[in-house]
């Protein structure tokens, strides 16, 4: 079977570092789903505005490889414990496919790309290819009683983000809020914990520098990237 790329996602995540680890974690992150010319047919979207959420089937485009491993090292387990690849959401899979649930904000008509979809909560880099879009159905897709396997034992505490007034005052409030939401989810690999290390994250036109000590993330600088 040959999969066809029907669309690509457009957002401000230029690098993998900082991309949310799961979909739906950061609702303030918005993305635009732009269809390939062959699929820019408004009839294909008829009725989609009646749904609040969508499933996206996409490709881990930076993780495509010929070989595969039956076990992987989930970052949330510190990167030193192996689990079966099919018991994880690792990008290093036989077919490099990702599955994400996003909130549909609505259809958006553009002169350049025709009708696109505006969504919130995507966990994908800018330019990620999308293979399919399906509506999320709460009556069958939602399972509140579901077990989370080994992830249930992993602490998921958000970081407290400190941004000095001199830095915060230079950013539009909406951009600052989104950057803080991303940082609060701790973009660092779980196996790195060095309070003296300065990390860098690109988001849109910004280059963000920060340090982390215990559960306190301090933004040391935000510059507009060239």
């Amino acid at each position: 079977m040959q999969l066809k790329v029907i669309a690509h996602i457009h957002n401000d995540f230029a690098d993998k570092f900082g991309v949310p680890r799961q979909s739906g974690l950061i609702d303030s992150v918005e993305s635009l789903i732009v269809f390939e010319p062959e699929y820019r047919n408004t009839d294909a979207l008829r009725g989609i505005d009646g749904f609040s959420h969508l499933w996206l089937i996409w490709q881990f485009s930076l993780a495509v490889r010929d070989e595969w491993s039956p076990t992987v090292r989930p970052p949330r387990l510190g990167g030193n414990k192996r689990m079966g690849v099919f018991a994880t959401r690792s990008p290093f899979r036989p077919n490099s496919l990702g599955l994400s649930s996003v909130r549909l904000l609505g259809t958006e008509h553009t002169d350049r790309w025709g009708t696109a979809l505006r969504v919130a909560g995507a966990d994908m880099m800018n330019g990620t290819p999308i293979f399919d879009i399906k509506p999320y159905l709460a009556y069958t897709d939602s399972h509140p009683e579901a077990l989370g396997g080994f992830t249930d034992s992993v602490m998921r505490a958000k970081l407290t983000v400190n941004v000095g007034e001199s830095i915060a005052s230079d950013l539009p409030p909406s951009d600052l809020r989104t950057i803080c939401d991303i940082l609060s989810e701790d973009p660092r690999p779980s196996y790195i914990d060095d309070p003296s290390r300065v990390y860098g994250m690109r988001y849109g036109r910004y280059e963000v520098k920060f340090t982390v000590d215990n559960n306190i993330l301090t933004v040391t600088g935000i510059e507009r990237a060239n």
Side-chain angles (χ1 to χ4, degrees):
M1 181 178 67
Q2 182 178 2
L3 296 178
K4 297 180 179 180
V5 176
I6 65 166
H8 288 83
I9 201 156
H10 290 212
N11 59 29
D12 287 325
F13 287 115
D15 302 316
K16 289 191 299 182
F17 189 73
V19 174
R21 289 185 172 87
Q22 304 293 341
S23 59
L25 286 179
I26 306 177
D27 196 63
S28 58
V29 171
E30 295 187 9
S31 302
L32 194 66
I33 296 175
V34 175
F35 290 90
E36 291 294 282
E38 181 181 355
Y39 303 103
R40 291 176 189 172
N41 187 323
T42 55
D43 285 342
L45 299 175
R46 187 183 303 170
I48 201 167
D49 283 323
F51 297 95
S52 64
H53 292 74
L54 303 172
W55 287 112
L56 306 180
I57 300 173
W58 49 280
Q59 183 184 51
F60 289 103
S61 51
L62 297 185
V64 177
R65 55 185 63 186
D66 293 329
E67 70 280 359
W68 73 286
S69 172
T71 61
V72 295
R73 298 176 178 177
R76 279 304 188 189
L77 293 181
N80 53 17
K81 186 174 182 180
R82 287 192 171 273
M83 291 290 176
V85 64
F86 301 129
T88 75
R89 296 188 176 187
S90 168
F92 304 109
R93 325 183 64 78
N95 286 305
S96 302
L97 293 179
L99 177 67
S100 296
S101 174
V102 297
R103 184 164 64 92
L104 176 63
L105 300 177
T107 54
E108 193 165 307
H109 301 283
T110 72
D111 293 334
R112 181 179 179 185
W113 298 309
T115 301
L117 298 177
R118 176 73 60 178
V119 300
D123 54 342
M124 304 149 67
M125 275 182 58
N126 181 54
T128 294
I130 297 173
F131 294 126
D132 204 2
I133 299 170
K134 300 177 185 291
Y136 176 98
L137 304 177
Y139 76 90
T140 185
D141 293 342
S142 178
H143 303 279
E145 76 286 359
L147 300 178
F150 66 86
T151 66
D152 283 342
S153 63
V154 179
M155 294 292 291
R156 223 197 114 247
K158 289 193 175 186
L159 299 179
T160 298
V161 179
N162 289 337
V163 185
E165 180 60 32
S166 60
I167 296 175
S169 60
D170 288 337
L171 273 70
S174 60
D175 290 351
L176 179 62
R177 181 176 63 254
T178 300
I179 289 173
C180 288
D181 287 346
I182 295 169
L183 294 176
S184 71
E185 290 291 341
D186 195 355
R188 302 174 302 158
S190 298
Y191 50 86
I192 297 179
D193 186 15
D194 181 359
S196 65
R197 179 168 178 172
V198 178
Y199 301 88
M201 182 191 78
R202 289 178 58 196
Y203 181 72
R205 54 181 174 164
Y206 301 109
E207 184 76 30
V208 183
K209 302 290 186 182
F210 63 92
T211 61
V212 181
D213 190 358
N214 291 320
N215 288 323
I216 307 297
L217 184 150
T218 302
V219 175
T220 59
I222 298 180
E223 297 180 357
R224 284 176 169 79
N226 295 328

